[in-house]
Amino acid sequence: MKKTSGRLLELLGLMQARVDWTGPELAARLGVTDRTVRNDIARLRELGYPVDATRGRDGHYRLGVGAKLPPLLLDDEEAVAVAVGLRTVTGVAGFEESGGRALAKLEHVLPDRLRRQLVALRDATSAGPVNTDSNVEDPEVDPAVLTEIAGAIRDHRGLRAFYGSTGDDERVELEPYRLVGWQRRWYVVGRDPATGRWAPYRVDWLTLRTPGGRGFTPVPFPGDLTEFVVREVARTGWAVHARIVVDAPADEVLARINPAVGTVEPRSDGSSVLVTGGDSLEVVAVWIGMLGLDFTVESPAALVDHLEVLAERYAGAVAGSAR
């Protein structure tokens, strides 16, 4: 028979992994008698773990709300960070089941205050298409800001904020609808209560103001949320935005790009316009260079200048190479 301390940890793990267990089920999993299970349940209670029990033929044990989780102790921001990470892991092949179990355990044993925050964050979040480009530096997002936005979505409470990345920030007020994690960034999709216009806002560009906005009655989102975010971020969500005329039909361009890169607009002459962007001119130049198609830059002018520099550099490399 296992030592009591090891058996108690295993028992605690079982009760965190599933809501209800009968005594015989626990006894079979632990390889002990029903009496030993009852004694171990009593020991858990003495250690401060609330274990609820019902009697009768359908009797069962259940780990109560607010149980401690030794030896791991998390503060508020750490708990939010772990929950966000676990939610990401559940979308990775091979980790769906284990990540989901870990997230369920974490939510179950936390105090009600923190559990409400994590549930709000989970329920307010969607995942968009993934881009594997590793050249983009991940922006820092304050977990407290994510929690505040998730709570506003849950409680139908407006947000007031300064928005921008250059220091010349504009004042915005929005009715938050959904948080979207996309391209290793966080966006909150919201509706302007004055104009009714929907837009995605980069969370790392938001500085929330207090007090927040007024309460509101949610309005259903008109269309596909992920498609909207991809389209609008390509136009407004980057530090550098570009319009590229490509000498190829839209279908051919779409077949060559990751959906996370941007959107493609067909033109009557058989060419198309790629609306894309990135955090730097270098990143945009790499993306459009990988198309393998002839193109012309409509905007910005700085991208044209950067491509001229690259053209001279590549021409020099070719001229200096041994044939």
Side-chain angles (χ1 to χ4, degrees):
M1 183 180 295
K2 298 178 182 178
K3 292 184 178 180
T4 302
S5 57
R7 195 175 63 245
L8 287 179
L9 288 175
E10 186 175 352
L11 173 59
L12 185 58
L14 289 173
M15 299 193 70
Q16 290 173 352
R18 206 174 84 188
V19 175
D20 294 324
W21 290 89
T22 66
E25 286 177 330
L26 290 173
R29 291 294 294 270
L30 296 171
V32 298
T33 65
D34 289 356
R35 179 177 180 180
T36 299
V37 169
R38 290 194 296 272
N39 291 336
D40 286 348
I41 292 292
R43 292 188 180 97
L44 286 180
R45 288 169 174 161
E46 291 173 358
L47 292 172
Y49 293 95
V51 180
D52 302 326
T54 58
R55 297 182 180 276
R57 189 171 64 179
D58 297 327
H60 59 264
Y61 294 105
R62 173 181 296 183
L63 190 63
V65 173
K68 296 180 294 183
L69 183 62
L72 183 63
L73 298 175
L74 300 174
D75 62 28
D76 292 14
E77 290 189 357
E78 290 170 343
V80 172
V82 170
V84 170
L86 288 172
R87 181 162 177 80
T88 302
V89 167
T90 58
V92 177
F95 291 91
E96 298 93 336
E97 184 179 351
S98 59
R101 289 200 313 269
L103 184 58
K105 288 181 181 180
L106 178 62
E107 290 182 352
H108 184 73
V109 300
L110 287 174
D112 183 71
R113 171 181 55 81
L114 272 185
R115 188 169 56 259
R116 279 176 51 83
Q117 291 182 2
L118 297 185
V119 170
L121 181 59
R122 181 197 63 199
D123 292 343
T125 302
S126 295
V130 176
N131 177 38
T132 58
D133 176 30
S134 60
N135 295 318
V136 180
E137 182 179 354
D138 295 344
E140 293 186 4
V141 176
D142 186 349
V145 174
L146 282 176
T147 301
E148 179 66 22
I149 294 173
I153 293 172
R154 178 196 62 206
D155 300 334
H156 310 316
R157 175 168 36 87
L159 294 173
R160 297 166 62 246
F162 295 106
Y163 185 66
S165 62
T166 62
D168 186 20
D169 300 344
E170 62 174 321
R171 294 191 179 193
V172 297
E173 185 167 349
L174 62 139
E175 298 172 350
Y177 174 77
R178 179 75 66 177
L179 279 166
V180 178
W182 181 53
Q183 296 232 42
R184 303 192 300 274
R185 290 170 174 78
W186 286 99
Y187 297 87
V188 55
V189 175
R191 176 179 177 272
D192 186 327
T195 65
R197 177 179 174 271
W198 292 86
Y201 300 85
R202 276 182 59 162
V203 173
D204 58 306
W205 289 0
L206 281 173
T207 303
L208 299 183
R209 300 165 59 196
T210 53
R214 302 174 181 176
F216 64 92
T217 300
V219 175
F221 183 78
D224 183 272
L225 182 66
T226 300
E227 180 182 346
F228 170 78
V229 171
V230 170
R231 183 180 70 249
E232 292 300 309
V233 169
R235 293 195 310 108
T236 64
W238 298 107
V240 176
H241 300 97
R243 284 180 60 88
I244 313 296
V245 178
V246 185
D247 295 336
D251 289 345
E252 184 176 353
V253 177
L254 285 169
R256 292 173 178 247
I257 68 170
N258 187 308
V261 169
T263 60
V264 180
E265 304 168 359
R267 303 209 321 175
S268 59
D269 61 0
S271 63
S272 55
V273 174
L274 171 62
V275 181
T276 187
D279 279 347
S280 68
L281 294 171
E282 290 79 7
V283 170
V284 177
V286 169
W287 284 353
I288 60 179
M290 292 172 63
L291 282 175
L293 299 168
D294 293 336
F295 63 87
T296 304
V297 176
E298 277 195 353
S299 65
L303 179 58
V304 177
D305 296 338
H306 181 68
L307 291 176
E308 288 179 348
V309 173
L310 290 180
E312 293 178 3
R313 184 175 300 149
Y314 291 155
V318 171
S321 298
R323 293 281 181 172

